[in-house]
Amino acid sequence: MADQAFVTLATNDSYAQGAMVLGKSLRNHNTSKKMVALIGPMVSEPCQSVLKRIFDEVKVVDVLDSGDTANLALMMRPELGVSLTKLHCWTLTHYSKCVFMDADTLVLSNIDELFDREELSAAPDPGWPDCFNSGVFVFRPSLETYGRLLQHCTEHGSFDGGDQGVLNGFFSDWATADISKHLPFIYNLSSIAIYTYLPAFKQYGGNAKVIHFLGSTKPWSCTFDPSTKQISGGGQEAAARPCFLVDWWTLYASAVEPMLQEQSEEQPLLSGCVESQQSDSVTTETVQEESSSSHAPLLPTMSSEERKEQWEQGQADYMGLDSFDNIKRKLDTFLK
Ligand SMILES: *[C@@H]1O[C@H](CO)[C@@H](O)[C@H](O)[C@H]1NC(C)=O
Ligand SMILES: *[C@@H]1O[C@H](CO)[C@@H](O)[C@H](O)[C@H]1NC(C)=O
Ligand SMILES: *[C@@H]1O[C@H](CO)[C@@H](O)[C@H](O)[C@H]1NC(C)=O
Ligand SMILES: [Mn+2]
């Protein structure tokens, strides 16, 4: 099936790491489909190299620079930058059918059977089940559809400010027209839903096929100790649902991190994945030090601005990145 592909999108190095783990999880479950990563121009060279080793095709998408209708749409709706980038998946017309997956998803079994479905198939959004969740969907690349989507975007914008609003606005008969386009919830099992409806998870969760790490805490914003399999640094949200985070991290540590390390040795002069850290505060620098010794993600995934915000809200990661030891080490470097 050379003309069918899984497609994901990474706009920066943090999401690129998610895409790498997703790609590895699809490969590990022996997908027979092609795999495509759309990336933004911000993704560093070393990360692009690793993505090229995992995916069949890596395509840089720069909406700002495209000089076409997408660029025009963006000028009229500047708030829709990332969403418009996602719509580019409809331009992959060398494939007849594709399945889009967010970079914050993880595959737990072979899901090639999704290609039996038609455009636009997706799972219901648990928050508003008459809308579909745009984290996993089946579509048919077509320049005509792409053009109509952009036109819809410029005329109507997005009712939620993101791609999910655009797509639900455009494919507005999804809820009522054809039940075969409703993917079972196991294709978009939110790690949060597991704990909000535990009895359902016990009944059906063994069939989970895709985990979608929704919400602001992404797997790559936690740290992981491979010997104890302890996750830290994700706040309460992560502490409440560690099981699939451990799956994500186990795959990251065994299959992705070694590739990133190799790549950073080959391309030491480029500021890349591993070195691409600004360090303008105590907290980001502790991330750097941590990453050399244990399994913190190779790049800080929260911006220093975001971490500062968390500090100021009293949400320091006392056991992990912001531990006393790390802060003391940092202060020691000033005293030296
Ligand atoms: C990376 O991109 C995602 C999605 O576009 C965005 O939400 C996130 O804030 C970005 N992260 C960084 C560190 O820039
Ligand atoms: C994938 O294929 C390999 C080689 O054919 C096989 O050993 C492995 O068990 C398969 N993995 C899964 C998850 O089916
Ligand atoms: C997946 O589930 C999450 C929450 O559990 C929801 O917000 C999202 O819209 C869903 N996505 C799809 C494609 O159903
Ligand atoms: Mn997502």
Side-chain angles (χ1 to χ4, degrees):
M1 284 300 178
D3 68 337
Q4 299 188 338
F6 284 102
V7 180
T8 190
L9 166 68
T11 48
N12 52 40
D13 280 359
S14 306
Y15 275 65
Q17 291 180 105
M20 290 166 197
V21 173
L22 168 64
K24 277 285 177 188
S25 71
L26 284 164
R27 286 267 186 255
N28 286 352
H29 291 101
N30 294 340
T31 180
S32 65
K33 312 297 176 185
K34 295 280 187 198
M35 287 169 31
V36 181
L38 300 177
I39 58 171
M42 305 270 284
V43 174
S44 69
E45 287 286 333
C47 279
Q48 291 194 27
S49 302
V50 172
L51 286 168
K52 281 176 190 155
R53 288 169 64 183
I54 299 173
F55 287 81
D56 297 295
E57 186 182 344
V58 175
K59 186 177 175 191
V60 181
V61 176
D62 190 351
V63 175
L64 279 172
D65 212 30
S66 62
D68 61 5
T69 38
N71 195 5
L72 188 66
L74 190 60
M75 287 194 315
M76 295 173 75
R77 299 274 178 179
E79 76 282 9
L80 293 181
V82 173
S83 311
L84 286 166
T85 309
K86 190 162 172 175
L87 297 186
H88 259 73
C89 64
W90 264 273
T91 66
L92 298 169
T93 50
H94 46 302
Y95 300 105
S96 65
K97 195 188 277 185
C98 296
V99 171
F100 183 91
M101 302 191 71
D102 268 1
D104 58 355
T105 58
L106 176 72
V107 164
L108 304 178
S109 71
N110 185 295
I111 53 169
D112 287 357
E113 74 271 13
L114 280 179
F115 288 84
D116 296 340
R117 308 259 177 172
E118 262 313 316
E119 174 174 281
L120 184 286
S121 294
D125 191 291
W128 191 272
D130 277 353
C131 284
F132 59 84
N133 183 286
S134 60
V136 178
F137 62 86
V138 183
F139 69 100
R140 281 194 180 275
S142 146
L143 292 182
E144 197 218 322
T145 310
Y146 177 64
R148 289 198 293 134
L149 272 163
L150 289 179
Q151 193 184 349
H152 184 90
C153 240
T154 42
E155 285 170 11
H156 306 282
S158 163
F159 64 73
D160 69 357
D163 56 270
Q164 184 155 316
V166 171
L167 291 172
N168 273 278
F170 186 79
F171 296 100
S172 58
D173 66 354
W174 174 85
T176 52
D178 181 356
I179 195 70
S180 75
K181 294 183 179 176
H182 288 218
L183 298 182
F185 195 57
I186 51 173
Y187 291 105
N188 178 42
L189 187 58
S190 129
S191 40
I192 296 165
I194 295 170
Y195 292 92
T196 51
Y197 194 15
L198 200 52
F201 180 69
K202 285 185 177 144
Q203 181 75 14
Y204 303 113
N207 300 324
K209 290 171 184 264
V210 177
I211 293 294
H212 189 179
F213 295 98
L214 292 152
S216 53
T217 306
K218 300 302 181 193
W220 52 84
S221 27
C222 307
T223 50
F224 177 64
D225 180 340
S227 56
T228 60
K229 303 234 180 238
Q230 289 292 310
I231 300 279
S232 58
Q236 285 173 325
E237 218 180 300
R241 52 192 175 94
C243 55
F244 293 111
L245 283 173
V246 171
D247 292 338
W248 190 95
W249 266 101
T250 305
L251 190 52
Y252 179 84
S254 66
V256 170
E257 196 172 35
M259 289 171 97
L260 283 169
Q261 259 152 6
E262 250 171 65
Q263 211 58 51
S264 70
E265 281 157 23
E266 273 173 39
Q267 294 167 296
L269 296 178
L270 296 163
S271 70
C273 252
V274 183
E275 286 101 354
S276 69
Q277 305 166 349
Q278 326 106 318
S279 38
D280 53 355
S281 77
V282 170
T283 51
T284 29
E285 287 191 26
T286 58
V287 174
Q288 266 179 323
E289 290 176 14
E290 184 80 353
S291 63
S292 56
S293 57
S294 83
H295 282 64
L298 283 171
L299 47 150
T301 46
M302 237 183 287
S303 66
S304 53
E305 229 10 71
E306 286 169 312
R307 295 205 65 197
K308 187 165 160 232
E309 219 167 85
Q310 291 215 339
W311 262 77
E312 286 168 1
Q313 290 168 358
Q315 293 171 346
D317 173 21
Y318 294 114
M319 305 302 285
L321 300 179
D322 309 322
S323 69
F324 177 73
D325 283 350
N326 280 336
I327 291 168
K328 182 167 172 296
R329 210 180 311 151
K330 177 69 208 166
L331 292 176
D332 284 347
T333 66
F334 287 125
L335 293 174
K336 251 183 250 153

